[in-house]
Amino acid sequence: MAVSPGGAPGTGSARRFPTGANYAEALQHPELCFQDPELKFGTVQQSPVLGPKAISGNFASVFSVTARGGQRYALKCFTRDSATLGRRYAAISSALGGLAASGMSQPWPVGFDFLERGVLVGREWYPAVKMTWVQGTGLISWIERNLHDAAALHTLADRFLAMTADLEHNGIAHGDLQHGNLLVAADGTFRLVDYDGMYVPALRGEQATENGHRNYQSPSRTAADFGPAMDRFSAWTIELALIAVATDPGLWTQLHDRHGEFLILSESDFKEPATSLAWPVLLNHPDKRVRDVAGRVKGFLGRPASALPPLTADAVRLPAQRRSTRAGTGAGAGVSSGAGGGGYGATRRPTVTSWTPAASGVPASGVPAWMAGRLATVAPGSPSTPSPSPAPQPAGAGRPGFGGRGAGDLVAAVGALLSTSAPGALVLAAAQPVDALPAAQGVALLTAAALVGWGRRRRPEYRAARTRVRELKRRSRELADPASAHQRLEKEIRGLDDALAKDNTASDQRVQALQIELRDGQARITMDLNRRTDQAQQQLVGLAAKEQRRIDKALEPAIRAHIQDKLRGTPIDEARSLSNMGGKMVQALQDAGIHSAADFIGVDFSHNPSVVFLVGPSGQRIRVPGIGEARAAVLSDWRQGLERRARASAPTTVPAAAKAQIKADIAALRVAHRTEIKQAEAEAQQKKAALQRRITDERGRLVGQRQQRAMDTQRRRAELLQRQKQLGGAGVERARVEAELAVVRGEARGALGVGGYVRFLLTGR
């Protein structure tokens, strides 16, 4: 890393820098626009139509240039002047060049040269930065490619933490830690690019030249935060995202916007945490580590950068992990070279304990990471694995039988009794002939049997016995062919897992859609609010001018009266001294009724240039013999001069009562406009709160449904796994099942049979 000969630019007034288009035009001829030998004979990457291809940012355009030897460079051409640019890059170059490779967790620094005479545009040289082109994958793309590789994501989180530890240890801060400046190399280590806003110890006391990407910075960050601690908020934010997505990949689908410039948290989450959907998801996540780190990051909002703690391995561990790490490794443990990248291991770096892979993704039990800790049973065959639910037992008894007659039993009993006695009663009442009695009695008996059967089938004891019989029959068939049964169970388990994964994907997409709906809805409410308040704000701003206009208007009658008094007090005789005016002309004016300067207000030349009229106070035209164009002009100038002098001595203040009334009226208008603005803001806030509640409720419903599906799936999965396990001793198990089946059938035909039910109806036992 170096600064080209010539040093930093001198101080002075800022000059106008070329635009990206100006640079692209100049780079069409690298042999003319470059002084650096590698660039001068290099090849600039071209777009198909527009010439040199640029990546444009706020303050610079970046071009790709390949030297003759094949080395590729990123050339950063600045579009905004900075008198300190060269000095800053000299300090950065010195600081990064002094870092020993053996003292870093990974090779994150990228070599660069600051070229004082970088690019010739027109007739002027402009500075540029020549940086080694980094072969790597952008952070967002890398996460999406490895979304379901929990181990890789946890390792990346460890490496990011180790890189920030390197920066902290050397008193360096990047200034704009964000996904666009973090590239992941093929070996999984980081490369950090774009050093425009970097702080190194030699720049102590300077102000920041930029405040970093808005989706990664605290809302309270200012240029005065320029120092070794300015990366801490963004570092914690990125680490939280990596830990959260590694623990629960569904969070990426829920919280990341594929069109947004952020990971899982954005500027709106920092500025308006109360209306954020992301914070409730993270702070109420089942994983304790995610909750803890999210809680810390949320607590940093509003705090100055210097008050934030550095991101350390110990800070993102759970308490139990901290104790075990201290006991096992001591305070001097370091990141291994495997975690940090080949050849860049350092024993003085803190060890980062990765989250165990078993807690991420979908383990063998089929429980997703976000369900960890919510189910007591996670492994088939373990003591805590549930067995298939036993058949319900009769209420209040250990032996088989019915217990507790209900309304249905009374209906069955009364119906059976009435149906059997009805034919005889009708014969006795002579309502039907005797020879019809046998047929009627047969119908009555069938009806009574149907009622008894209906009542018996309604009993929970009988239904449980029938269910148990069906289950045992199915188990017996399975055990007769254990290989086929095992395959069927395996297929059913896979079906459960696939269905759960599909449901979870749909749920994640719906939650993400809710996030977008909330963001867009809040934006629409804000735009509506701005439209409503803009006019009121403009009127508020204009009240001072309006007050002055009203004061001026209130003064105008007094000023006009003063001027009229002055003009009326100036006799026309004083015009005698004017050029080309004499006693005869003055007498002619008096004869025409003009005795003072107030008796005419102007001159009218419009009808006939050779005939001039004086205009009276009421607008009447006055013809004065001898007054031609020249004399009329002299008279007009004389009167205007008198009016100017009179206006200069006119009253400048309105009466106190009138002024007080004007101020009261303006104050009332100010209150009305402010009330209108507050009312609009309150209504907008209510709409935002209602939208937030609706989205939150819907998200809560989706999360609840997802959790219930997961628990139901896990319960069913455990049952299927238990049945698979039992297939190992198929012969013995089948004998047991057949014996149990015989017992249950006996109960269904005996104590729970028709005779038993009739006895139960008659005796209650």
Side-chain angles (χ1 to χ4, degrees), residues 294-339:
R296 294 201 70 178
V297 175
K298 189 170 186 288
F300 296 155
L301 298 176
R303 295 173 59 184
S306 58
L308 303 185
L311 177 64
T312 63
D314 201 47
V316 295
R317 292 192 188 104
L318 293 174
Q321 293 175 313
R322 295 172 195 160
R323 289 193 295 270
S324 64
T325 302
R326 289 168 185 156
T329 63
V335 176
S336 69
S337 59

mmCIF file of all heavy atoms in Angstrom, residues 294-339:
data_model
loop_
_atom_site.group_PDB
_atom_site.id
_atom_site.type_symbol
_atom_site.label_atom_id
_atom_site.label_comp_id
_atom_site.label_asym_id
_atom_site.label_seq_id
_atom_site.Cartn_x
_atom_site.Cartn_y
_atom_site.Cartn_z
ATOM 1 N N ALA A 294 -29.925 -9.899 20.148
ATOM 2 C CA ALA A 294 -30.881 -8.912 19.638
ATOM 3 C C ALA A 294 -31.214 -7.879 20.708
ATOM 4 O O ALA A 294 -31.317 -6.676 20.424
ATOM 5 C CB ALA A 294 -32.159 -9.611 19.165
ATOM 6 N N GLY A 295 -31.375 -8.333 21.946
ATOM 7 C CA GLY A 295 -31.661 -7.399 23.038
ATOM 8 C C GLY A 295 -30.537 -6.404 23.254
ATOM 9 O O GLY A 295 -30.780 -5.214 23.504
ATOM 10 N N ARG A 296 -29.300 -6.866 23.139
ATOM 11 C CA ARG A 296 -28.160 -5.958 23.304
ATOM 12 C C ARG A 296 -28.127 -4.919 22.181
ATOM 13 O O ARG A 296 -27.932 -3.732 22.431
ATOM 14 C CB ARG A 296 -26.857 -6.754 23.328
ATOM 15 C CG ARG A 296 -26.699 -7.678 24.519
ATOM 16 C CD ARG A 296 -25.264 -8.025 24.777
ATOM 17 N NE ARG A 296 -24.516 -6.872 25.273
ATOM 18 C CZ ARG A 296 -23.229 -6.909 25.616
ATOM 19 N NH1 ARG A 296 -22.559 -8.037 25.514
ATOM 20 N NH2 ARG A 296 -22.614 -5.834 26.040
ATOM 21 N N VAL A 297 -28.312 -5.375 20.948
ATOM 22 C CA VAL A 297 -28.257 -4.437 19.808
ATOM 23 C C VAL A 297 -29.371 -3.407 19.920
ATOM 24 O O VAL A 297 -29.148 -2.207 19.695
ATOM 25 C CB VAL A 297 -28.355 -5.207 18.475
ATOM 26 C CG1 VAL A 297 -28.426 -4.225 17.305
ATOM 27 C CG2 VAL A 297 -27.144 -6.124 18.302
ATOM 28 N N LYS A 298 -30.563 -3.829 20.285
ATOM 29 C CA LYS A 298 -31.671 -2.879 20.433
ATOM 30 C C LYS A 298 -31.364 -1.872 21.541
ATOM 31 O O LYS A 298 -31.726 -0.690 21.449
ATOM 32 C CB LYS A 298 -32.976 -3.606 20.738
ATOM 33 C CG LYS A 298 -34.212 -2.700 20.690
ATOM 34 C CD LYS A 298 -35.483 -3.537 20.763
ATOM 35 C CE LYS A 298 -36.722 -2.632 20.576
ATOM 36 N NZ LYS A 298 -36.968 -1.802 21.737
ATOM 37 N N GLY A 299 -30.681 -2.334 22.589
ATOM 38 C CA GLY A 299 -30.309 -1.429 23.672
ATOM 39 C C GLY A 299 -29.277 -0.396 23.280
ATOM 40 O O GLY A 299 -29.098 0.608 23.978
ATOM 41 N N PHE A 300 -28.575 -0.612 22.156
ATOM 42 C CA PHE A 300 -27.561 0.342 21.705
ATOM 43 C C PHE A 300 -28.171 1.550 20.998
ATOM 44 O O PHE A 300 -27.481 2.547 20.789
ATOM 45 C CB PHE A 300 -26.579 -0.336 20.743
ATOM 46 C CG PHE A 300 -25.763 -1.435 21.366
ATOM 47 C CD1 PHE A 300 -25.232 -2.457 20.580
ATOM 48 C CD2 PHE A 300 -25.530 -1.466 22.727
ATOM 49 C CE1 PHE A 300 -24.484 -3.466 21.137
ATOM 50 C CE2 PHE A 300 -24.777 -2.482 23.305
ATOM 51 C CZ PHE A 300 -24.250 -3.486 22.506
ATOM 52 N N LEU A 301 -29.444 1.457 20.588
ATOM 53 C CA LEU A 301 -30.061 2.555 19.842
ATOM 54 C C LEU A 301 -30.050 3.830 20.678
ATOM 55 O O LEU A 301 -30.439 3.832 21.846
ATOM 56 C CB LEU A 301 -31.495 2.196 19.455
ATOM 57 C CG LEU A 301 -31.665 0.987 18.525
ATOM 58 C CD1 LEU A 301 -33.136 0.692 18.298
ATOM 59 C CD2 LEU A 301 -30.957 1.237 17.202
ATOM 60 N N GLY A 302 -29.619 4.912 20.076
ATOM 61 C CA GLY A 302 -29.601 6.190 20.775
ATOM 62 C C GLY A 302 -28.349 6.439 21.588
ATOM 63 O O GLY A 302 -28.138 7.556 22.075
ATOM 64 N N ARG A 303 -27.499 5.433 21.752
ATOM 65 C CA ARG A 303 -26.264 5.631 22.530
ATOM 66 C C ARG A 303 -25.125 6.045 21.597
ATOM 67 O O ARG A 303 -25.046 5.602 20.456
ATOM 68 C CB ARG A 303 -25.888 4.345 23.266
ATOM 69 C CG ARG A 303 -26.892 3.939 24.327
ATOM 70 C CD ARG A 303 -26.579 2.583 24.920
ATOM 71 N NE ARG A 303 -25.270 2.538 25.539
ATOM 72 C CZ ARG A 303 -24.725 1.433 26.063
ATOM 73 N NH1 ARG A 303 -25.409 0.288 26.020
ATOM 74 N NH2 ARG A 303 -23.546 1.451 26.624
ATOM 75 N N PRO A 304 -24.219 6.916 22.066
ATOM 76 C CA PRO A 304 -23.091 7.311 21.213
ATOM 77 C C PRO A 304 -22.159 6.132 20.962
ATOM 78 O O PRO A 304 -22.086 5.191 21.762
ATOM 79 C CB PRO A 304 -22.398 8.402 22.039
ATOM 80 C CG PRO A 304 -22.835 8.160 23.449
ATOM 81 C CD PRO A 304 -24.212 7.588 23.384
ATOM 82 N N ALA A 305 -21.438 6.189 19.852
ATOM 83 C CA ALA A 305 -20.565 5.083 19.472
ATOM 84 C C ALA A 305 -19.529 4.789 20.551
ATOM 85 O O ALA A 305 -19.216 3.625 20.825
ATOM 86 C CB ALA A 305 -19.876 5.411 18.147
ATOM 87 N N SER A 306 -19.019 5.833 21.172
ATOM 88 C CA SER A 306 -17.968 5.632 22.177
ATOM 89 C C SER A 306 -18.473 4.910 23.415
ATOM 90 O O SER A 306 -17.684 4.370 24.191
ATOM 91 C CB SER A 306 -17.376 6.986 22.587
ATOM 92 O OG SER A 306 -18.397 7.831 23.104
ATOM 93 N N ALA A 307 -19.800 4.885 23.616
ATOM 94 C CA ALA A 307 -20.363 4.228 24.800
ATOM 95 C C ALA A 307 -20.704 2.766 24.551
ATOM 96 O O ALA A 307 -21.117 2.058 25.478
ATOM 97 C CB ALA A 307 -21.627 4.978 25.253
ATOM 98 N N LEU A 308 -20.566 2.301 23.303
ATOM 99 C CA LEU A 308 -20.914 0.916 22.989
ATOM 100 C C LEU A 308 -19.741 -0.007 23.300
ATOM 101 O O LEU A 308 -18.579 0.349 23.106
ATOM 102 C CB LEU A 308 -21.286 0.789 21.513
ATOM 103 C CG LEU A 308 -22.430 1.672 21.002
ATOM 104 C CD1 LEU A 308 -22.751 1.324 19.555
ATOM 105 C CD2 LEU A 308 -23.657 1.516 21.869
ATOM 106 N N PRO A 309 -20.041 -1.219 23.746
ATOM 107 C CA PRO A 309 -18.953 -2.169 24.007
ATOM 108 C C PRO A 309 -18.440 -2.749 22.703
ATOM 109 O O PRO A 309 -19.185 -2.868 21.728
ATOM 110 C CB PRO A 309 -19.644 -3.254 24.844
ATOM 111 C CG PRO A 309 -21.068 -3.221 24.398
ATOM 112 C CD PRO A 309 -21.364 -1.780 24.086
ATOM 113 N N PRO A 310 -17.174 -3.127 22.645
ATOM 114 C CA PRO A 310 -16.672 -3.764 21.424
ATOM 115 C C PRO A 310 -17.307 -5.138 21.244
ATOM 116 O O PRO A 310 -17.736 -5.779 22.208
ATOM 117 C CB PRO A 310 -15.162 -3.870 21.676
ATOM 118 C CG PRO A 310 -15.015 -3.837 23.165
ATOM 119 C CD PRO A 310 -16.132 -2.977 23.674
ATOM 120 N N LEU A 311 -17.392 -5.583 20.010
ATOM 121 C CA LEU A 311 -17.909 -6.911 19.700
ATOM 122 C C LEU A 311 -16.822 -7.932 20.016
ATOM 123 O O LEU A 311 -15.756 -7.926 19.403
ATOM 124 C CB LEU A 311 -18.305 -6.997 18.221
ATOM 125 C CG LEU A 311 -18.791 -8.357 17.718
ATOM 126 C CD1 LEU A 311 -20.083 -8.752 18.407
ATOM 127 C CD2 LEU A 311 -18.973 -8.325 16.204
ATOM 128 N N THR A 312 -17.094 -8.793 20.995
ATOM 129 C CA THR A 312 -16.122 -9.812 21.386
ATOM 130 C C THR A 312 -16.786 -11.176 21.403
ATOM 131 O O THR A 312 -18.012 -11.292 21.441
ATOM 132 C CB THR A 312 -15.560 -9.520 22.785
ATOM 133 O OG1 THR A 312 -16.631 -9.596 23.745
ATOM 134 C CG2 THR A 312 -14.916 -8.147 22.855
ATOM 135 N N ALA A 313 -15.949 -12.220 21.406
ATOM 136 C CA ALA A 313 -16.481 -13.579 21.451
ATOM 137 C C ALA A 313 -17.266 -13.802 22.730
ATOM 138 O O ALA A 313 -18.328 -14.426 22.725
ATOM 139 C CB ALA A 313 -15.330 -14.580 21.345
ATOM 140 N N ASP A 314 -16.761 -13.292 23.839
ATOM 141 C CA ASP A 314 -17.427 -13.507 25.122
ATOM 142 C C ASP A 314 -18.797 -12.831 25.147
ATOM 143 O O ASP A 314 -19.733 -13.328 25.773
ATOM 144 C CB ASP A 314 -16.553 -12.952 26.251
ATOM 145 C CG ASP A 314 -16.891 -13.574 27.587
ATOM 146 O OD1 ASP A 314 -17.006 -14.820 27.642
ATOM 147 O OD2 ASP A 314 -17.073 -12.829 28.557
ATOM 148 N N ALA A 315 -18.923 -11.707 24.433
ATOM 149 C CA ALA A 315 -20.177 -10.947 24.482
ATOM 150 C C ALA A 315 -21.315 -11.665 23.780
ATOM 151 O O ALA A 315 -22.481 -11.447 24.118
ATOM 152 C CB ALA A 315 -19.967 -9.574 23.844
ATOM 153 N N VAL A 316 -21.011 -12.524 22.809
ATOM 154 C CA VAL A 316 -22.081 -13.193 22.070
ATOM 155 C C VAL A 316 -22.263 -14.649 22.486
ATOM 156 O O VAL A 316 -23.034 -15.376 21.863
ATOM 157 C CB VAL A 316 -21.826 -13.125 20.546
ATOM 158 C CG1 VAL A 316 -21.880 -11.695 20.067
ATOM 159 C CG2 VAL A 316 -20.492 -13.760 20.174
ATOM 160 N N ARG A 317 -21.567 -15.077 23.546
ATOM 161 C CA ARG A 317 -21.816 -16.404 24.089
ATOM 162 C C ARG A 317 -22.922 -16.352 25.120
ATOM 163 O O ARG A 317 -23.165 -15.327 25.753
ATOM 164 C CB ARG A 317 -20.561 -16.960 24.764
ATOM 165 C CG ARG A 317 -19.407 -17.290 23.856
ATOM 166 C CD ARG A 317 -18.356 -18.089 24.628
ATOM 167 N NE ARG A 317 -17.161 -18.258 23.838
ATOM 168 C CZ ARG A 317 -16.042 -17.580 24.029
ATOM 169 N NH1 ARG A 317 -15.970 -16.690 24.993
ATOM 170 N NH2 ARG A 317 -14.995 -17.790 23.259
ATOM 171 N N LEU A 318 -23.560 -17.492 25.332
ATOM 172 C CA LEU A 318 -24.486 -17.629 26.452
ATOM 173 C C LEU A 318 -23.677 -17.771 27.730
ATOM 174 O O LEU A 318 -22.517 -18.189 27.700
ATOM 175 C CB LEU A 318 -25.378 -18.849 26.250
ATOM 176 C CG LEU A 318 -26.370 -18.748 25.083
ATOM 177 C CD1 LEU A 318 -27.093 -20.073 24.905
ATOM 178 C CD2 LEU A 318 -27.371 -17.644 25.322
ATOM 179 N N PRO A 319 -24.263 -17.438 28.885
ATOM 180 C CA PRO A 319 -23.506 -17.516 30.147
ATOM 181 C C PRO A 319 -22.836 -18.862 30.362
ATOM 182 O O PRO A 319 -21.689 -18.940 30.790
ATOM 183 C CB PRO A 319 -24.581 -17.224 31.198
ATOM 184 C CG PRO A 319 -25.577 -16.374 30.483
ATOM 185 C CD PRO A 319 -25.605 -16.886 29.076
ATOM 186 N N ALA A 320 -23.541 -19.974 30.077
ATOM 187 C CA ALA A 320 -22.952 -21.297 30.288
ATOM 188 C C ALA A 320 -21.742 -21.506 29.378
ATOM 189 O O ALA A 320 -20.737 -22.094 29.776
ATOM 190 C CB ALA A 320 -23.991 -22.379 30.034
ATOM 191 N N GLN A 321 -21.831 -20.994 28.137
ATOM 192 C CA GLN A 321 -20.711 -21.118 27.220
ATOM 193 C C GLN A 321 -19.523 -20.299 27.695
ATOM 194 O O GLN A 321 -18.380 -20.713 27.568
ATOM 195 C CB GLN A 321 -21.124 -20.657 25.826
ATOM 196 C CG GLN A 321 -22.147 -21.554 25.149
ATOM 197 C CD GLN A 321 -22.604 -20.970 23.834
ATOM 198 O OE1 GLN A 321 -22.923 -19.790 23.773
ATOM 199 N NE2 GLN A 321 -22.632 -21.772 22.799
ATOM 200 N N ARG A 322 -19.810 -19.139 28.275
ATOM 201 C CA ARG A 322 -18.710 -18.303 28.782
ATOM 202 C C ARG A 322 -17.945 -19.021 29.881
ATOM 203 O O ARG A 322 -16.724 -19.059 29.911
ATOM 204 C CB ARG A 322 -19.261 -16.980 29.308
ATOM 205 C CG ARG A 322 -19.876 -16.101 28.249
ATOM 206 C CD ARG A 322 -20.563 -14.911 28.862
ATOM 207 N NE ARG A 322 -21.436 -14.258 27.889
ATOM 208 C CZ ARG A 322 -22.417 -13.454 28.205
ATOM 209 N NH1 ARG A 322 -22.674 -13.190 29.468
ATOM 210 N NH2 ARG A 322 -23.165 -12.904 27.277
ATOM 211 N N ARG A 323 -18.707 -19.636 30.817
ATOM 212 C CA ARG A 323 -18.059 -20.329 31.935
ATOM 213 C C ARG A 323 -17.233 -21.507 31.436
ATOM 214 O O ARG A 323 -16.094 -21.700 31.848
ATOM 215 C CB ARG A 323 -19.116 -20.800 32.929
ATOM 216 C CG ARG A 323 -19.770 -19.672 33.711
ATOM 217 C CD ARG A 323 -20.554 -20.227 34.881
ATOM 218 N NE ARG A 323 -21.684 -21.044 34.421
ATOM 219 C CZ ARG A 323 -22.897 -20.545 34.181
ATOM 220 N NH1 ARG A 323 -23.129 -19.251 34.338
ATOM 221 N NH2 ARG A 323 -23.871 -21.329 33.772
ATOM 222 N N SER A 324 -17.802 -22.280 30.491
ATOM 223 C CA SER A 324 -17.075 -23.451 30.003
ATOM 224 C C SER A 324 -15.840 -23.040 29.217
ATOM 225 O O SER A 324 -14.802 -23.679 29.294
ATOM 226 C CB SER A 324 -17.998 -24.314 29.137
ATOM 227 O OG SER A 324 -18.395 -23.610 27.981
ATOM 228 N N THR A 325 -15.934 -21.941 28.469
ATOM 229 C CA THR A 325 -14.793 -21.487 27.681
ATOM 230 C C THR A 325 -13.671 -21.003 28.580
ATOM 231 O O THR A 325 -12.503 -21.302 28.378
ATOM 232 C CB THR A 325 -15.220 -20.362 26.721
ATOM 233 O OG1 THR A 325 -16.269 -20.855 25.892
ATOM 234 C CG2 THR A 325 -14.066 -19.911 25.857
ATOM 235 N N ARG A 326 -14.050 -20.246 29.635
ATOM 236 C CA ARG A 326 -13.019 -19.750 30.559
ATOM 237 C C ARG A 326 -12.340 -20.897 31.280
ATOM 238 O O ARG A 326 -11.138 -20.908 31.492
ATOM 239 C CB ARG A 326 -13.647 -18.785 31.551
ATOM 240 C CG ARG A 326 -14.039 -17.457 30.922
ATOM 241 C CD ARG A 326 -14.914 -16.655 31.848
ATOM 242 N NE ARG A 326 -15.376 -15.447 31.178
ATOM 243 C CZ ARG A 326 -16.465 -14.789 31.519
ATOM 244 N NH1 ARG A 326 -17.223 -15.233 32.500
ATOM 245 N NH2 ARG A 326 -16.820 -13.704 30.876
ATOM 246 N N ALA A 327 -13.149 -21.894 31.659
ATOM 247 C CA ALA A 327 -12.577 -23.017 32.391
ATOM 248 C C ALA A 327 -11.683 -23.852 31.491
ATOM 249 O O ALA A 327 -10.653 -24.376 31.916
ATOM 250 C CB ALA A 327 -13.692 -23.892 32.964
ATOM 251 N N GLY A 328 -12.069 -23.986 30.217
ATOM 252 C CA GLY A 328 -11.333 -24.878 29.320
ATOM 253 C C GLY A 328 -10.156 -24.234 28.628
ATOM 254 O O GLY A 328 -9.176 -24.894 28.327
ATOM 255 N N THR A 329 -10.222 -22.934 28.351
ATOM 256 C CA THR A 329 -9.174 -22.307 27.539
ATOM 257 C C THR A 329 -8.451 -21.184 28.243
ATOM 258 O O THR A 329 -7.362 -20.815 27.848
ATOM 259 C CB THR A 329 -9.778 -21.745 26.247
ATOM 260 O OG1 THR A 329 -10.713 -20.729 26.578
ATOM 261 C CG2 THR A 329 -10.490 -22.838 25.458
ATOM 262 N N GLY A 330 -9.053 -20.594 29.270
ATOM 263 C CA GLY A 330 -8.420 -19.470 29.921
ATOM 264 C C GLY A 330 -8.552 -18.209 29.110
ATOM 265 O O GLY A 330 -9.082 -18.197 28.022
ATOM 266 N N ALA A 331 -8.057 -17.120 29.637
ATOM 267 C CA ALA A 331 -8.254 -15.815 29.000
ATOM 268 C C ALA A 331 -7.403 -15.622 27.775
ATOM 269 O O ALA A 331 -7.644 -14.761 26.968
ATOM 270 C CB ALA A 331 -7.970 -14.714 30.016
ATOM 271 N N GLY A 332 -6.375 -16.424 27.586
ATOM 272 C CA GLY A 332 -5.454 -16.162 26.477
ATOM 273 C C GLY A 332 -5.679 -17.009 25.265
ATOM 274 O O GLY A 332 -4.836 -17.070 24.389
ATOM 275 N N ALA A 333 -6.843 -17.706 25.163
ATOM 276 C CA ALA A 333 -7.091 -18.567 24.008
ATOM 277 C C ALA A 333 -7.215 -17.749 22.759
ATOM 278 O O ALA A 333 -7.583 -16.602 22.784
ATOM 279 C CB ALA A 333 -8.347 -19.397 24.239
ATOM 280 N N GLY A 334 -6.948 -18.352 21.619
ATOM 281 C CA GLY A 334 -6.994 -17.619 20.363
ATOM 282 C C GLY A 334 -7.752 -18.350 19.300
ATOM 283 O O GLY A 334 -8.112 -19.495 19.423
ATOM 284 N N VAL A 335 -7.979 -17.637 18.201
ATOM 285 C CA VAL A 335 -8.656 -18.211 17.043
ATOM 286 C C VAL A 335 -7.661 -19.085 16.304
ATOM 287 O O VAL A 335 -6.561 -18.670 15.992
ATOM 288 C CB VAL A 335 -9.175 -17.099 16.120
ATOM 289 C CG1 VAL A 335 -9.776 -17.695 14.881
ATOM 290 C CG2 VAL A 335 -10.177 -16.252 16.864
ATOM 291 N N SER A 336 -8.068 -20.286 16.019
ATOM 292 C CA SER A 336 -7.176 -21.192 15.310
ATOM 293 C C SER A 336 -7.019 -20.740 13.871
ATOM 294 O O SER A 336 -7.836 -20.039 13.325
ATOM 295 C CB SER A 336 -7.735 -22.618 15.355
ATOM 296 O OG SER A 336 -8.896 -22.711 14.588
ATOM 297 N N SER A 337 -5.969 -21.222 13.260
ATOM 298 C CA SER A 337 -5.759 -20.853 11.865
ATOM 299 C C SER A 337 -6.840 -21.400 10.988
ATOM 300 O O SER A 337 -7.160 -20.838 9.963
ATOM 301 C CB SER A 337 -4.387 -21.366 11.394
ATOM 302 O OG SER A 337 -4.325 -22.773 11.530
ATOM 303 N N GLY A 338 -7.453 -22.507 11.397
ATOM 304 C CA GLY A 338 -8.549 -23.037 10.597
ATOM 305 C C GLY A 338 -9.729 -22.121 10.583
ATOM 306 O O GLY A 338 -10.389 -21.977 9.588
ATOM 307 N N ALA A 339 -10.021 -21.486 11.713
ATOM 308 C CA ALA A 339 -11.162 -20.586 11.761
ATOM 309 C C ALA A 339 -10.858 -19.268 11.138
ATOM 310 O O ALA A 339 -11.718 -18.552 10.696
ATOM 311 C CB ALA A 339 -11.604 -20.401 13.216
#
